[in-house]
Amino acid sequence: MFRDFVSRRAEAKAEASRHEPVSGALRVVPDKAAVATQHRLNAVDATLRARLDLKSRLHEVLLGRLNLSVLDRVERSELKAEIGALVQDFLATENRPMRAEDAEKLTDELLDEVMGLGPLEPLLADPSVADVLVNSYRNVYVERDGLLERVPVQFRDERHLLRIIDKIVSRVGRRVDESQPWVDARLEDGSRVNAIIRPCAIDGPTLSIRKFSRDPLTLDRLVERGALSEQAVRVLMALVESRLNILISGGTGSGKTTMLNALSSFIDPRQRIVTIEDAAELQLRQEHVVRLETRPANLEGAAAVTQRDLVRNALRMRPDRIIVGEVRGTEAFDMLQAMNTGHDGSMTTIHANTARDALSRLEQMVAMMGADMPLSVVRQQVASGINVVLQLARLPDGSRRVISVSEITGMEGDVISMQDIYRFRQTGRASDGTILGGFAATGIRPKFAERLEASGFSLAAEIFAEGV
């Protein structure tokens, strides 16, 4: 106790030494490095605000001179030349000299405001950026290599950010306002967009963009990155071509849609594929593809088209395969019915942390229907409808990996039985934080091996040997 008392007195004296008495009060002696850093931040912020104000004034002048109705018919190079001339005239009138490279950058930013998404355009064009996260008009973050970082990008104010959000959602026939303060949408390239505004977003409008890769990720590239083994890829290819039903499970940002796109490349191009999504983002390379997308309710709260509506309609469209972008609700029941009634080779994704959790979530979604259906019957539908579960995860180092490939073998009493065919085993972490480990077979020969062989795939026994 005495040592604790002495320690507290020493800490109090050290704290008191940082203060000086001035006119009977205490003045905190500021840390010089912290003050210098704050001054630099204030200077950068002031410069940025001045640039945003200048761009805002130029934008208003530009809108007053442009014929917006013909913008879509004007070449970008021609419009850039006109905006560049306007910028030079404005700067000369304001007696505000500017370096040529700064003036050209300002011209590009104005061009993005008129024809694109303003401050977001450079981030969307950057191939190293996977996600763009706007937390109010002042704070913008991006994800690179699985890690988040803040970028020096700002919107002028909330109205500016709201205008960009409205431009995005209106292009796909959706809306966001106080009566419907959140919305799922997509960009023209298929990038997924979510926006939420006041009153639900307390600190102002928030925008999240999951960029769509211009270079589709293939299973071969997943092997190069260590997310899969060559043997597992051969098995997955055989699973798709042999028309087994596959459920892809994982958390947010784990790469479920990427994996679904990669697996779909093995579907026979002669087959008719129907895709169902909340916001269309799948990029199938086959020609015979029918893409369906949900529709939100109108202003009167009616005329909504749900995923369940689309799944039930898809059954009447003579599909060879049905692909549901992500199963979220009562459409799970109709999807399982399709898988159990001749639509083999169907695939979907689901949010879950483990393969077992994925099956539990499917059960819960079917229960959401409100039908008085025994749990044993639901589990029987799941066990007979789903053949394989792929579990994905985004690891702490930002890498995305396949954690397991699990086979559903049937029912044992009232429990769905599963067995892991391949599994990722973590062995440690490198000094730079990289996760160490390997993806290999568990040594169990799956029951679906006979079905693969019947479909013409001759898989050596060694492909399932432990450690391979």
Side-chain angles (χ1 to χ4, degrees):
M1 182 178 294
F2 177 75
R3 282 198 298 269
D4 291 341
F5 173 76
V6 173
S7 176
R8 288 195 295 271
R9 289 201 62 184
E11 292 173 358
K13 289 181 66 178
E15 180 65 19
S17 66
R18 299 183 62 246
H19 301 78
E20 297 176 1
V22 179
S23 303
L26 288 177
R27 178 173 63 86
V28 178
V29 178
D31 183 272
K32 293 182 179 179
V35 171
T37 300
Q38 188 60 47
H39 283 326
R40 286 196 298 271
L41 292 175
N42 291 341
V44 170
D45 188 61
T47 302
L48 182 59
R49 296 305 304 173
R51 184 178 182 83
L52 289 173
D53 289 340
L54 173 63
K55 190 167 70 174
S56 175
R57 294 168 60 195
L58 272 167
H59 188 238
E60 290 178 1
V61 174
L62 187 61
L63 292 179
R65 297 189 184 183
L66 289 177
N67 184 355
L68 300 179
S69 62
V70 299
L71 276 183
D72 57 344
R73 298 193 294 271
V74 178
E75 291 291 335
R76 185 180 178 90
S77 57
E78 181 182 348
L79 183 58
K80 181 177 180 178
E82 293 185 12
I83 294 176
L86 174 65
V87 169
Q88 294 297 337
D89 292 342
F90 186 86
L91 294 176
T93 303
E94 294 281 318
N95 193 23
R96 185 169 181 170
M98 182 177 291
R99 294 185 304 173
E101 54 268 29
D102 290 338
E104 183 174 1
K105 183 179 179 181
L106 182 59
T107 300
D108 289 335
E109 291 175 359
L110 286 169
L111 188 61
D112 289 337
E113 288 287 345
V114 174
M115 300 192 70
L117 302 179
L120 298 178
E121 285 294 333
L123 303 178
L124 296 175
D126 186 346
S128 68
V129 173
D131 289 338
V132 179
L133 309 172
V134 181
N135 302 346
S136 79
Y137 73 94
R138 282 181 173 270
N139 302 317
V140 180
Y141 293 81
V142 300
E143 179 190 307
R144 289 189 174 96
D145 299 323
L147 302 176
L148 293 177
E149 61 180 84
R150 187 173 178 178
V151 291
V153 172
Q154 284 188 7
F155 293 83
R156 185 170 62 254
D157 49 30
E158 279 195 21
R159 290 180 59 192
H160 185 196
L161 176 54
L162 283 170
R163 184 169 59 80
I164 296 300
I165 292 175
D166 185 65
K167 182 182 289 188
I168 293 173
V169 302
S170 61
R171 288 176 177 175
V172 291
R174 306 206 172 188
R175 63 184 178 85
V176 59
D177 50 37
E178 288 188 1
S179 63
Q180 179 62 51
W182 64 84
V183 64
D184 286 321
R186 56 182 167 81
L187 301 181
E188 293 179 357
D189 64 354
S191 297
R192 184 191 308 172
V193 178
N194 176 269
I196 183 167
I197 65 174
R198 297 180 189 274
C200 293
I202 297 174
D203 298 322
T206 299
L207 180 67
S208 305
I209 301 177
R210 173 70 52 82
K211 284 180 58 180
F212 191 88
S213 176
R214 296 191 177 112
D215 185 15
L217 196 62
T218 63
L219 292 181
D220 290 337
R221 290 179 59 193
L222 291 176
V223 172
E224 294 174 5
R225 297 183 179 187
L228 279 173
S229 65
E230 293 184 6
Q231 291 77 11
V233 167
R234 291 171 57 192
V235 172
L236 291 178
M237 179 184 69
L239 290 174
V240 175
E241 294 192 17
S242 300
R243 302 190 64 163
L244 274 73
N245 296 322
I246 299 175
L247 177 66
I248 302 172
S249 169
T252 300
S254 59
K256 299 185 296 298
T257 302
T258 298
M259 175 60 71
L260 186 56
N261 270 319
L263 290 179
S264 69
S265 65
F266 297 120
I267 297 177
D268 190 331
R270 295 171 298 179
Q271 296 177 356
R272 179 177 173 86
I273 307 169
V274 178
T275 67
I276 299 165
E277 302 174 82
D278 264 337
E281 56 183 328
L282 291 175
Q283 187 183 28
L284 274 63
R285 285 174 262 181
Q286 292 83 352
E287 291 185 3
H288 199 167
V289 178
V290 179
R291 305 171 69 204
L292 306 180
E293 186 178 46
T294 62
R295 186 182 69 182
N298 56 25
L299 292 174
E300 289 75 30
V305 178
T306 66
Q307 282 202 139
R308 187 178 186 192
D309 296 329
L310 295 178
V311 171
R312 295 168 71 177
N313 184 77
L315 298 177
R316 305 181 181 95
M317 298 175 66
R318 197 263 177 215
D320 289 306
R321 300 188 191 232
I322 296 175
I323 297 180
V324 181
E326 180 183 338
V327 61
R328 298 179 180 179
T330 55
E331 69 273 5
F333 174 76
D334 299 281
M335 184 193 68
L336 289 173
Q337 291 295 306
M339 291 178 171
N340 280 298
T341 55
H343 297 90
D344 296 335
S346 298
M347 294 184 282
T348 188
T349 72
I350 191 171
H351 272 275
N353 292 327
T354 66
R356 177 65 64 181
D357 288 347
L359 302 185
S360 297
R361 284 211 65 206
L362 276 179
E363 296 172 12
Q364 294 168 8
M365 291 174 186
V366 174
M368 290 168 59
M369 291 174 47
D372 188 14
M373 187 179 299
L375 184 58
S376 58
V377 174
V378 176
R379 288 179 176 173
Q380 183 64 51
Q381 289 288 311
V382 173
S384 58
I386 305 293
N387 300 117
V388 177
V389 180
L390 268 65
Q391 183 64 41
L392 280 61
R394 180 168 60 176
L395 302 183
D397 63 353
S399 62
R400 295 170 172 86
R401 291 181 181 269
V402 179
I403 300 301
S404 65
V405 177
S406 306
E407 178 189 29
I408 296 179
T409 57
M411 297 283 293
E412 292 183 2
D414 288 337
V415 179
I416 300 174
S417 58
M418 301 176 65
Q419 58 184 12
D420 289 345
I421 309 303
Y422 292 92
R423 184 187 303 145
F424 173 77
R425 291 185 175 88
Q426 181 176 339
T427 58
R429 297 189 71 168
S431 57
D432 62 353
T434 302
I435 299 295
L436 303 177
F439 187 84
T442 60
I444 298 175
R445 182 174 178 82
K447 292 185 176 181
F448 61 63
E450 297 179 1
R451 183 167 172 181
L452 300 188
E453 291 173 355
S455 298
F457 292 93
S458 179
L459 299 177
E462 292 76 15
I463 203 170
F464 300 113
E466 185 174 1
V468 175

